Amino acid sequence: MHFSTILSAVLAASPLIVSARGTLGFALGARNPGNAHNFRDFLMKLISGPDGTCKTVQDYESDFDALKSQGGSTIVRTYSVVDINVPKYPCDVAATILPAAKSKNFQVILGLWADTQASYDSEWAALKGVLTTGNSISIYAITVGSESLYRGVSAFDLLPRIKNATAEFGKFTKRVGTVDSWNKFQDGTADPIITGGVKFLMVNAFGYWQHQNINNATATYLDDLQQAIGHIQSLSGSIDAIEIWNGETGWPGDGGSDYGDAKAGTKNAETFYKTGVCAALDWGFDVFYFEAFDEAWKPMSKGDTGDQGDETHWGAFTADRKLKFTLSC
């Protein structure tokens, strides 16, 4: 998420109540970041860059083994039921990740892409065709949309999609909601969703995308979380009526792009993790780190300034599942 703001001075003014240590999860991509394994994969590599092939059940199982053994985590989040980032070669995310999660005792927050009614309808139909009582055991939650409000979707359009998903998939999980940028929860954009009966929300917050020097990145990150979560709790009238997670945070490692005063580099990524993510976890926030593994296949992205940005080096792990720095706090 790309958004710039001035650091508020109200970090301690939140109604937040913290108890036990928070849970660490990872955002997990649907495509292989490494080497091609067969001729079809080789052709895909020519089309989409370094690999970009769809993960198999076995690929996800290997991801889970690394995340659990080296990262101490047993929960991941996805962004869509069917990944169409390489349109000619869509990936059936839900159909592939759920059996792997079940076999490895992982939980999944499963995303439905919902920026348009058409995309939501397609994702809804795909998920309905996949879900059974047996393979849904690993679903922790379902999120309808990922930063849809940030990209201009109206909360009044998104809320009916969330309610529709709740009605259809609520028998598999009671947690159905959405995920968006912290400022869309803080500034009132998401108010119809907060007051509309939704019980699960995820808030994305990055010191990096606020152009912050690493020395101020943690304060910015925690303040952004405080503002968003404080507004949600104030509007809902309760500290626990809505389950809230930090949906994304992170920092690009070596090879990534700088963003203003935010300088990419593995040392800075480690510093942000140790000071920011660890602080949030210690305070009881549940946090998803963006992301699990480097993804070399990804194209360049464009920020609010129009500058091209590299998003292939955001992993806590390298593309071959080697941890870049220890995740202990």
Side-chain angles (χ1 to χ4, degrees):
M1 199 293 296
H2 310 172
F3 183 80
S4 181
T5 190
I6 298 175
L7 179 62
S8 168
V10 293
L11 185 58
S14 168
L16 303 177
I17 296 226
V18 292
S19 51
R21 178 180 168 80
T23 297
L24 175 66
F26 288 91
L28 186 60
R31 297 180 183 272
N32 284 304
N35 297 320
H37 305 297
N38 53 46
F39 183 68
R40 181 181 179 279
D41 290 358
F42 173 75
L43 293 178
M44 271 291 298
K45 184 174 181 178
L46 295 180
I47 294 170
S48 63
D51 213 334
T53 54
C54 297
K55 288 181 179 177
T56 63
V57 172
Q58 292 72 31
D59 289 324
Y60 279 121
E61 288 177 339
S62 295
D63 286 349
F64 295 153
D65 285 342
L67 293 175
K68 184 174 182 179
S69 64
Q70 301 181 65
S73 178
T74 57
I75 187 168
V76 297
R77 61 161 299 203
T78 67
Y79 293 85
S80 58
V81 178
V82 178
D83 181 284
I84 58 171
N85 281 299
V86 183
K88 288 186 178 180
Y89 295 95
C91 300
D92 293 324
V93 181
T96 310
I97 197 172
L98 292 178
K102 183 178 179 181
S103 72
K104 293 296 181 177
N105 294 315
F106 260 67
Q107 291 184 303
V108 179
I109 295 182
L110 195 62
L112 278 76
W113 199 256
D115 278 9
T116 66
Q117 188 63 46
S119 66
Y120 170 74
D121 290 343
S122 175
E123 291 271 282
W124 184 94
L127 185 57
K128 185 176 181 180
V130 166
L131 282 188
T132 65
T133 302
N135 68 14
S136 66
I137 192 171
S138 298
I139 297 178
Y140 182 83
I142 292 173
T143 54
V144 180
S146 180
E147 296 194 338
S148 295
L149 302 180
Y150 175 75
R151 284 189 297 276
V153 176
S154 166
F156 293 102
D157 290 333
L158 186 60
L159 180 58
R161 296 167 195 166
I162 298 171
K163 289 186 173 182
N164 177 262
T166 302
E168 179 62 33
F169 305 121
K171 59 188 173 184
F172 299 112
T173 175
K174 296 184 182 300
R175 304 176 183 91
V176 181
T178 193
V179 51
D180 225 293
S181 172
W182 71 274
N183 56 301
K184 295 305 174 184
F185 291 108
Q186 180 270 340
D187 68 6
T189 302
D191 283 2
I193 293 171
I194 297 170
T195 59
V198 176
K199 299 301 182 183
F200 186 80
L201 296 173
M202 297 208 295
V203 177
N204 294 350
F206 291 83
Y208 173 87
W209 289 124
Q210 301 281 58
H211 309 87
Q212 293 299 308
N213 181 283
I214 190 62
N215 295 322
N216 197 48
T218 288
T220 299
Y221 160 62
L222 295 175
D223 181 53
D224 291 349
L225 278 182
Q226 176 273 324
Q227 291 187 61
I229 297 175
H231 182 79
I232 293 169
Q233 292 179 339
S234 177
L235 199 60
S236 68
S238 170
I239 62 170
D240 57 8
I242 299 175
E243 183 175 343
I244 307 169
W245 286 60
N246 177 195
E248 284 182 354
T249 195
W251 199 278
D254 293 345
S257 299
D258 297 339
Y259 195 69
D261 288 338
K263 306 301 181 184
T266 300
K267 184 61 179 176
N268 280 349
E270 180 178 14
T271 297
F272 178 74
Y273 181 89
K274 297 292 187 181
T275 60
V277 175
C278 285
L281 291 170
D282 287 344
W283 289 354
F285 291 115
D286 298 316
V287 179
F288 274 100
Y289 192 82
F290 181 86
E291 58 185 329
F293 307 102
D294 284 348
E295 297 192 87
W297 70 270
K298 281 185 173 181
M300 298 289 282
S301 63
K302 184 179 290 187
D304 290 348
T305 62
D307 296 333
Q308 293 290 324
D310 181 285
E311 291 196 352
T312 65
H313 296 87
W314 281 75
F317 295 74
T318 62
D320 54 355
R321 303 188 181 96
K322 291 182 173 61
L323 199 58
K324 294 180 183 179
F325 49 84
T326 64
L327 299 177
S328 59
C329 291

